Amino acid sequence: MIVRNPPRQDLIPAIGYIRVSMMLEEKISPDIQRTAITELARRRGYRIIEWVEDLDVSGRTFQRKIMKVIADVEDGTAKAILVWKYSRFGRNRTGNQLNLARVEKAGGELVSATEEIDARTAVGKLTRGVLFELAAFESDRAGEQWGEAFQNRLARGLPPLGNQQFGYIRRGRIRHPLYHDRTLAAPEDGPERYEPDHASGMARILADCYDRWIADRNFSTLADWANARGARTTTGAKFRPGEMTRMMDRGFAAGLICVHHRDCRCAKPSTCRNKEYHPGAHEAVISMETWETYKRLRKITSALPPRARRAVYPCTKLLRCGYCTHTYYPQKVHHAPKQGATWDVLAEEVGVSRRTIAYLLAWMRDQQLLVTIVTGSTRRTRAGNLWGLLDDGLGNLAAEYALTIPDELLPDDVAELEADDPEEEEIPWPCETVTERATFSHVSGHVEQDCTPAVQGFSWGGSFPNAGARDSSETTGPSCSWPRHATPGSKREQVAACERLRQEHSLTLGILSAKDLRSLLRHLFVAGFTVADVEHALNRMPDGRHWGDIDPGRLAGTVERKRGMRARIRHRVGLWVDADGTPLVRSASQQAEEAEIAMWREQERRLVAAWGVHDPEPVDQVAPVVQLAERRTPPAEYLAARAALRARLREGA
């Protein structure tokens, strides 16, 4: 007889929660809790998906990681919370009831590994409630004992928490050998006490802090002064204004102990400003008169706005409005001179749109009326700075432009024009007026919508004064040795074309040599691609979609960048030509040329059909024109257009 095992049930997802109130309580307590919870999960069919630990965290508050565990149960990530004891969940009566109700409302459950009860029954709920009440009782009892110790230390004139105090040395205690934040009694050193640290000079610095603040009333400068003299906080860090303020407000230097007011019932006594002072058993380093003066001035300055605590102007808060009686405050108005003109400023001053401004600037560049002396750059875009990782100290360099005037438009008194003061009339961007036309090697008519269009490559017949931040001998663009719209044939021409690509794309393709780039792009050049076609092939797929960045790893090493650049170029070139150099897709210029020829042939066919030729021959022959002239004499305008059309067809063929 074969007995089949019952089908395996799915394990219930659960989260194991571990909490230790004090790390000194039981160092192995987290391991004990983890072992017990793991055994519970194995025994009752739970699958622990996550462990959450709250070490050295009190259970009297729910401002801890248990709130994330409850949120995961509400989201359905887990169905149960596994704890060592119910007291690990919390020791706050109100918090226990509210958060346990959230767990049960979401369909979850809270399970104890050492207190196994069925909370679904009435007896189980009663038992769990008693256990939670016992946990809260233990917390209240420990709090009362701590309160008694608090009052005992306060009656003895000692800080209740036993903390280190700046400017004082704690006697009668030694550091715990295992825990750096604990101390042990040292009977051989006498009773616990605090003595001024005169040996290191910290007590003198503490006393001087009060005198300097009373004279200056500035915690920022006081913190800098103390740090400059080697003073550090009790944790070894430098003083900041906030820490300096809290240290001086405690009044320990005046022989006082600052504690939370006994009548205040706020939930956060450590941050509450309702304090009271008790006499301490330690020696004071400042007089009571100094302390009272400090308290009085602190009360006055704390009631003032931050800008009025240290007035910049002598009449601050002294002038009042005669109508509403409100206090006058100074206001800075910055009238910075206009260093340049943005697109919006130019469009607003001229009264046209941004697109019109772009067209006008492009036309001026094409007509050689506007040139770029120095291209604007930042630390990130400037060559040699590793894309902003290095600082060359130049900052942001402004662009410089030159506005030329044709000779036929120059007045006779050119000398008077050059002698005019350039500051008499507001100019929308930094420029100079010169009387000599620039000789360009390449002009780009493309205009960006978010920056001023740049002219690449120019040379002057004479010297030009450079008033900007960059040396005038620096070139602003590549020397274009190979035409952009011509196909290189020989190896020398292909290397020249690749050199132009390197110069125009120095941030990406510039890391490869011209010969290395030519070996990668050789098949494109053999297929008839021009420099513009190669740029199109490296930036777009054959279907027109954009590629990503060709050099995304600019912050990587040079070897890694070159290796990745070659791989990306081979991959992108492989979609246009195969390994043997056979073109898979025609280049962009070839496609445009074919489309233009097809358009003119269609127009040719329509014109021939309109003039009575029913069976026209191919348009690359002269017969249709001869037959057309014999049958009917067309107008002179048509013949002129016809001749121009034939000339374009021959050039296209």
Side-chain angles (χ1 to χ4, degrees):
M1 180 178 179
I2 299 176
V3 179
R4 298 183 180 273
N5 294 328
R8 179 177 178 270
Q9 298 180 353
D10 294 337
L11 299 179
I12 302 174
I15 297 177
Y17 178 70
I18 298 174
R19 183 182 66 82
V20 180
S21 297
M22 301 289 289
M23 288 301 297
L24 187 61
E25 180 182 336
E26 290 182 8
K27 187 64 177 177
I28 60 174
S29 181
D31 297 332
I32 295 176
Q33 297 183 33
R34 186 184 298 271
T35 303
I37 293 173
T38 303
E39 179 63 23
L40 171 68
R42 184 194 62 80
R43 186 172 63 253
R44 299 184 55 175
Y46 291 104
R47 175 171 54 89
I48 300 178
I49 61 176
E50 183 182 1
W51 289 95
V52 178
E53 296 183 358
D54 272 330
L55 304 181
D56 201 8
V57 178
S58 174
R60 299 175 65 91
T61 176
F62 274 83
Q63 295 179 356
R64 42 194 170 93
K65 299 177 183 179
I66 188 63
M67 302 306 295
K68 176 183 177 300
V69 177
I70 297 174
D72 292 340
V73 174
E74 291 179 334
D75 295 340
T77 305
K79 294 297 183 181
I81 302 175
L82 308 183
V83 295
W84 180 53
K85 290 181 179 294
Y86 284 117
S87 61
R88 303 300 92 191
F89 184 75
R91 294 183 180 272
N92 184 282
R93 294 179 175 86
T94 305
N96 289 340
Q97 298 299 327
L98 292 178
N99 292 285
L100 186 59
R102 291 177 54 187
V103 173
E104 294 180 345
K105 183 179 179 180
E109 59 178 342
L110 177 65
V111 183
S112 173
T114 58
E115 302 163 338
E116 295 191 35
I117 59 174
D118 189 359
R120 294 173 296 182
T121 64
V123 176
K125 292 180 181 179
L126 175 62
T127 305
R128 186 182 63 183
V130 172
L131 294 175
F132 272 129
E133 186 63 28
L134 288 175
F137 165 75
E138 293 176 358
S139 178
D140 295 340
R141 180 178 55 82
E144 291 178 356
Q145 293 178 353
W146 169 246
E148 294 175 358
F150 185 97
Q151 295 297 331
N152 183 17
R153 293 183 60 85
L154 193 61
R156 293 161 52 194
L158 298 175
L161 301 180
N163 298 333
Q164 293 287 344
Q165 301 294 332
F166 175 74
Y168 286 81
I169 299 177
R170 189 182 184 185
R171 300 293 187 183
R173 305 287 295 186
I174 59 175
R175 188 178 299 275
H176 197 283
L178 299 179
Y179 309 102
H180 66 279
D181 56 343
R182 310 293 177 183
T183 58
L184 297 175
E188 65 278 3
D189 196 17
E192 182 181 356
R193 63 194 183 278
Y194 288 84
E195 298 179 354
D197 188 6
H198 295 292
S200 63
M202 293 297 106
R204 179 70 265 174
I205 293 178
L206 177 60
D208 292 343
C209 285
Y210 286 90
D211 296 335
R212 296 181 68 89
W213 187 89
I214 292 174
D216 190 53
R217 304 187 193 182
N218 193 321
F219 283 107
S220 298
T221 58
L222 184 60
D224 296 339
W225 174 84
N227 292 330
R229 279 151 182 78
R232 295 295 182 265
T233 63
T234 55
T235 59
K238 290 185 177 181
F239 275 104
R240 291 182 296 182
E243 296 171 348
M244 180 66 69
T245 303
R246 290 188 292 270
M247 185 268 294
M248 297 180 63
D249 286 347
R250 282 195 290 266
F252 198 83
L256 303 175
I257 298 177
C258 179
V259 295
H260 187 230
H261 200 283
R262 67 188 70 182
D263 297 332
C264 184
R265 295 294 182 265
C266 65
K268 295 182 179 180
S270 59
T271 58
C272 180
R273 296 187 177 182
N274 193 5
K275 304 289 185 180
E276 62 180 2
Y277 295 92
H278 296 264
H282 57 280
E283 178 185 353
V285 296
I286 62 173
S287 63
M288 191 57 62
E289 291 78 10
T290 303
W291 170 248
E292 293 296 336
T293 303
Y294 172 80
K295 282 177 49 178
R296 178 174 54 83
L297 296 179
R298 276 285 290 143
K299 185 177 181 180
I300 295 174
T301 55
S302 61
L304 297 176
R307 289 293 302 273
R309 295 178 184 177
R310 183 176 178 83
V312 180
Y313 305 99
C315 294
T316 300
K317 290 207 69 178
L318 298 180
L319 302 179
R320 293 182 178 272
C321 177
Y323 180 75
C324 64
T325 69
H326 283 182
T327 305
Y328 284 133
Y329 287 96
Q331 182 178 4
K332 292 184 179 181
V333 180
H334 299 277
H335 296 288
K338 187 178 297 183
Q339 300 294 334
T342 62
W343 287 92
D344 294 333
V345 173
L346 288 174
E348 182 180 358
E349 292 185 356
V350 181
V352 297
S353 63
R354 289 172 50 129
R355 185 183 296 270
T356 304
I357 290 291
Y359 287 153
L360 292 176
L361 292 178
W363 176 83
M364 294 176 66
R365 293 180 184 280
D366 292 338
Q367 299 298 321
Q368 302 180 1
L369 299 177
L370 181 66
V371 297
T372 302
I373 304 300
V374 176
T375 304
S377 61
T378 62
R379 187 182 68 177
R380 181 176 178 83
T381 60
R382 197 157 42 245
N385 292 345
L386 294 180
W387 296 272
L389 296 180
L390 301 179
D391 189 3
D392 53 7
L394 299 180
N396 296 339
L397 298 181
E400 300 177 14
Y401 303 94
L403 182 64
T404 63
I405 301 177
D407 297 337
E408 58 271 13
L409 299 181
L410 286 176
D412 298 334
D413 50 350
V414 180
E416 297 180 2
L417 177 63
E418 295 179 350
D420 291 339
D421 188 2
E423 298 181 357
E424 293 180 358
E425 182 179 359
E426 187 179 12
I427 302 174
W429 60 80
C431 62
E432 296 286 344
T433 302
V434 298
T435 60
E436 186 175 359
R437 181 69 61 86
T439 303
F440 293 90
S441 58
H442 175 69
V443 178
S444 174
H446 177 65
V447 179
E448 297 286 348
Q449 280 294 326
D450 55 354
C451 64
T452 305
V455 179
Q456 300 178 351
F458 61 89
S459 59
W460 290 99
S463 60
F464 185 85
N466 181 21
R470 183 178 291 186
D471 190 3
S472 61
S473 62
E474 183 180 353
T475 59
T476 61
S479 58
C480 306
S481 59
W482 184 257
R484 182 178 178 81
H485 299 284
T487 302
S490 62
K491 180 178 179 181
R492 183 186 299 273
E493 294 175 349
Q494 293 178 6
V495 172
C498 292
E499 184 64 31
R500 171 163 184 164
L501 287 172
R502 291 184 65 256
Q503 294 178 359
E504 291 186 351
H505 305 277
S506 58
L507 295 180
T508 54
L509 301 179
I511 64 174
L512 301 177
S513 64
K515 293 184 179 180
D516 193 3
L517 198 59
R518 181 256 172 190
S519 65
L520 298 172
L521 304 176
R522 176 170 52 88
H523 294 311
L524 292 180
F525 292 138
V526 173
F529 280 57
T530 63
V531 174
D533 294 335
V534 171
E535 292 180 352
H536 178 81
L538 295 180
N539 292 327
R540 289 180 178 270
M541 302 180 187
D543 57 0
R545 291 179 298 168
H546 281 277
W547 288 102
D549 190 359
I550 197 172
D551 187 19
R554 292 191 178 96
L555 297 181
T558 305
V559 177
E560 290 79 3
R561 283 188 62 197
K562 289 184 177 180
R563 186 183 297 111
M565 179 71 69
R566 295 189 188 99
R568 280 183 287 271
I569 291 177
R570 291 192 190 97
H571 174 67
R572 299 185 183 188
V573 170
L575 297 182
W576 293 85
V577 295
D578 58 9
D580 299 332
T582 305
L584 303 177
V585 183
R586 300 185 66 82
S587 65
S589 61
Q590 292 172 352
Q591 295 177 11
E593 183 180 359
E594 291 177 356
E596 185 176 5
I597 292 177
M599 179 188 67
W600 287 109
R601 289 181 182 276
E602 179 64 21
Q603 293 183 4
E604 172 74 13
R605 187 189 63 77
R606 292 180 181 180
L607 288 174
V608 172
W611 285 93
V613 180
H614 300 287
D615 189 15
E617 298 181 8
V619 295
D620 55 347
Q621 300 180 7
V622 190
V625 180
V626 176
Q627 296 175 4
L628 182 63
E630 293 177 351
R631 296 185 181 184
R632 193 179 301 177
T633 303
E637 294 80 4
Y638 172 78
L639 294 177
R642 183 72 171 184
L645 177 62
R646 302 299 295 174
R648 295 196 61 175
L649 288 175
R650 294 191 189 94
E651 294 177 359

